[in-house]
Amino acid sequence: MPQFETGRIFVDVLDVEQHSLDAMAGLAFVTGTGIAVRNGAENLFVGTVRNHNLGKKVLGISYDVFEPLAKQSFLEICQEAQAKWGEELDFYVVHAKGKLDIGGVSIVIAVGSPHRDEAFKASRYVIEEIKHRSPVWKLEHYADGDSEWSKGCELCSSNHTHEAHVI
Amino acid sequence: MQITLQTFGAFRQFGRNIELDLNDNAKVADLRIPLVAALAEFSAKFDIAGLVESSRFATETEILDEDVALFDGNLITILPPVSGG
């Protein structure tokens, strides 16, 4: 049996006024090139801004991010996914910061794996954990001129007595 | 002691930073009551107490447990409920 190589992890937060998120860059990162291609399955998840939420017409979303802790949480989540589904899995996670219009890309998650089952499961794990744990907030801008912060998920601390997730 | 709270999310509308005076030997949990008091002027329009209660406190590297000791001059970040992705 050949020994596997520990997977690579890339995480970042991009200011969308300066850079657009590039899903193909994520796919390329986890695919590799030439004889370096060792994955047989690449899963790409792209989050985009939709034009409605909870019955209100949405024009755009501003993302606020506590960058150092967010990037650390992305890294920890990817490492957890490696521990669950294989140390050889590759991960690319980039989240947007700033204001996006409808259709704007808010997050790109790419996972590369030797096999498809692990790629699907790890990708789902990463997006769900980011939604529940990473310090990112969205301010929705509505067609009626109003703006509102999403209710979100309450973060856990080890000795706080409240419910872990409140939607 | 003096603590500076860096704000994110729903707290942004109350300023980028909020300065709090706390007693010596204060812990993370002790930030909540003076924070609610500091934002009292907004309580008619916002559920300040509920927002503060549902929030956590952090440094750049970790979310802090409630019983962690604070020190004069600390920069602490307040994390309201998150909504990334």
Side-chain angles (χ1 to χ4, degrees):
Chain A
M1 285 280 289
Q3 283 204 320
F4 66 75
E5 182 184 333
T6 301
R8 299 178 305 147
I9 299 174
F10 178 86
V11 300
D12 204 1
V13 173
L14 286 184
D15 186 337
V16 293
E17 289 187 11
Q18 298 170 18
H19 307 279
S20 296
L21 273 64
D22 182 356
M24 290 304 108
L27 191 58
F29 180 85
V30 300
T31 302
T33 54
I35 60 168
V37 174
R38 59 193 173 84
N39 292 321
E42 290 81 32
N43 189 289
L44 180 63
F45 175 86
V46 180
T48 51
V49 176
R50 64 173 178 262
N51 65 1
H52 64 95
N53 193 36
L54 301 174
K56 298 181 87 168
K57 187 175 177 186
V58 174
L59 298 181
I61 292 179
S62 295
Y63 287 87
D64 195 13
V65 184
F66 183 28
E67 282 194 49
L69 195 57
K71 286 194 258 191
Q72 183 175 308
S73 74
F74 299 162
L75 180 61
E76 289 171 357
I77 289 165
C78 292
Q79 290 169 336
E80 291 165 12
Q82 283 181 326
K84 285 174 178 285
W85 290 288
E87 298 292 341
E88 71 274 31
L89 269 60
D90 296 312
F91 292 86
Y92 176 100
V93 176
V94 176
H95 202 294
K97 181 178 87 168
K99 188 174 182 186
L100 287 170
D101 296 326
I102 303 302
V105 176
S106 60
I107 189 167
V108 172
I109 298 170
V111 181
S113 166
H115 306 288
R116 66 184 181 282
D117 189 42
E118 291 82 359
F120 277 118
K121 287 175 176 169
S123 179
R124 183 66 188 260
Y125 179 82
V126 171
I127 182 61
E128 296 299 335
E129 291 300 306
I130 286 173
K131 280 184 167 290
H132 289 101
R133 291 165 50 185
S134 297
V136 178
W137 300 270
K138 52 185 166 190
L139 178 63
E140 292 181 330
H141 305 288
Y142 303 115
D144 64 7
D146 199 9
S147 293
E148 194 172 323
W149 291 96
S150 289
K151 293 280 185 289
C153 298
E154 194 171 329
L155 290 164
C156 299
S157 67
S158 61
N159 59 359
H160 199 69
T161 55
H162 295 270
E163 291 292 321
H165 305 303
V166 176
I167 304 294
Chain B
M1 67 173 132
Q2 190 85 18
I3 300 292
T4 300
L5 274 187
Q6 181 178 216
T7 64
F8 282 93
F11 284 99
R12 288 282 207 196
Q13 58 203 319
F14 310 129
R16 304 291 280 192
N17 294 300
I18 300 170
E19 304 292 333
L20 296 177
D21 273 319
L22 274 71
N23 294 326
D24 290 345
N25 305 317
K27 298 179 178 0
V28 166
D30 300 320
L31 288 163
R32 288 194 167 80
I33 290 174
L35 177 56
V36 171
L39 301 177
E41 63 181 294
F42 304 104
S43 58
K45 192 173 174 190
F46 301 98
D47 177 15
I48 298 294
L51 186 58
V52 170
E53 185 59 25
S54 64
S55 298
R56 302 291 173 266
F57 300 93
T59 64
E60 290 194 349
T61 57
E62 64 179 337
I63 297 174
L64 298 169
D65 286 341
E66 297 288 301
D67 59 358
V68 169
L70 296 171
F71 296 95
D72 187 43
N74 277 165
L75 173 63
I76 303 293
T77 299
I78 187 163
L79 310 177
V82 298
S83 53

